[in-house]
Amino acid sequence: MTEAPRRTGTDAATSGAPRGLDRRRFVIAGAALGVTGLAAPALAQQTPDAGQVQYEDGADQRRNISSFRAQDWRPYFSGLANGAILCDITSRCVHYWSEDESIYRLYPSSIPVSSELTRRGRSEIIKKVEGPSWAPTPEMKQRNPEWPDFVPPGPDNPLGTHALWLSWQYYRIHGTHDTRKIGRKSSNGCIGLYNEHIKELFGFANIGTQVLLI
């Protein structure tokens, strides 16, 4: 097995309305994240779900890296046909195994902002898009009527540079231009990766790659 990707230099190694939230706030992250080895925040983007960190009042917003470790695929999959992706909500990381087991990767990820937006279970990759556009779901638009109806590909796009469509409607594994979101509860239901990590995973994953969210 290969080691998890390391980040050096300036780098660092979405449906259904939430019911338990008294109110949703957006905050601009501070200049320092307080975690050694993680990237400094990107410049604030004035776009929905990108450049701003969503959180529940009173929730623990620290990055969870205590369970960030290599895993074996066997407890989670019966085989590796088409490769396998494990999204671990608890440790906030994504594991990938190639079909022949020659490639293993471990990536830090963002996770949904609330339990109501979190989905677990088995899915698969049904579509791959480089330079994705973004549109809010009807539920997002209802909660945030000020959000635009459409955001084209580019530096303001909440899906980053690449996106993997899951078989569940509106659910994606995608990149983000806002590095502050990785390792935190900061999405509307999707799983977010650093852009360089989603680019690599995009190259590994195929249509039909099995996905499990736990």
Side-chain angles (χ1 to χ4, degrees), residues 4 14 18 44 63 92 104 107 130 157 165 171 193:
T14 68
R63 294 171 185 264
R92 304 176 189 179
Y104 170 72
Y107 308 112
E130 182 174 357
N157 192 285
W165 264 239
Y171 283 80
L193 302 177

Side-chain angles (χ1 to χ4, degrees), residues 48-102:
D49 203 25
Q52 295 174 309
V53 177
Q54 302 179 57
Y55 71 97
E56 298 177 64
D57 290 344
D60 183 354
Q61 292 305 306
R62 294 175 299 177
R63 294 171 185 264
N64 181 5
I65 60 174
S66 61
S67 301
F68 192 81
R69 63 181 185 273
Q71 296 277 12
D72 184 82
W73 60 269
R74 290 168 184 82
Y76 308 103
F77 301 96
S78 60
L80 289 178
N82 291 320
I85 296 172
L86 176 69
C87 302
D88 189 332
I89 302 298
T90 300
S91 60
R92 304 176 189 179
C93 62
V94 171
H95 304 259
Y96 170 79
W97 297 269
S98 64
E99 183 170 1
D100 63 1
E101 296 189 67
S102 65

Side-chain angles (χ1 to χ4, degrees), residues 119-179:
R119 183 164 183 173
R120 292 178 170 85
R122 297 190 183 275
S123 184
E124 65 179 76
I125 303 300
I126 62 169
K127 183 179 178 180
K128 299 171 57 177
V129 178
E130 182 174 357
S133 58
W134 178 85
T137 66
E139 291 83 2
M140 288 183 197
K141 191 66 175 178
Q142 184 177 13
R143 295 194 302 268
N144 305 278
E146 73 281 6
W147 283 8
D149 295 326
F150 177 82
V151 179
D156 293 335
N157 192 285
L159 299 185
T161 60
H162 298 73
L164 300 170
W165 264 239
L166 303 187
S167 57
W168 303 330
Q169 188 179 28
Y170 303 131
Y171 283 80
R172 317 275 189 263
I173 302 172
H174 62 79
T176 178
H177 298 295
D178 183 0
T179 60

Side-chain angles (χ1 to χ4, degrees), residues 8-71:
T8 58
T10 56
D11 293 337
T14 68
S15 98
R19 294 183 295 275
L21 304 181
D22 293 331
R23 64 189 176 100
R24 181 187 300 269
R25 295 194 299 171
F26 291 91
V27 296
I28 301 300
L33 295 175
V35 178
T36 303
L38 294 175
L43 294 176
Q45 308 274 343
Q46 299 303 313
T47 55
D49 203 25
Q52 295 174 309
V53 177
Q54 302 179 57
Y55 71 97
E56 298 177 64
D57 290 344
D60 183 354
Q61 292 305 306
R62 294 175 299 177
R63 294 171 185 264
N64 181 5
I65 60 174
S66 61
S67 301
F68 192 81
R69 63 181 185 273
Q71 296 277 12

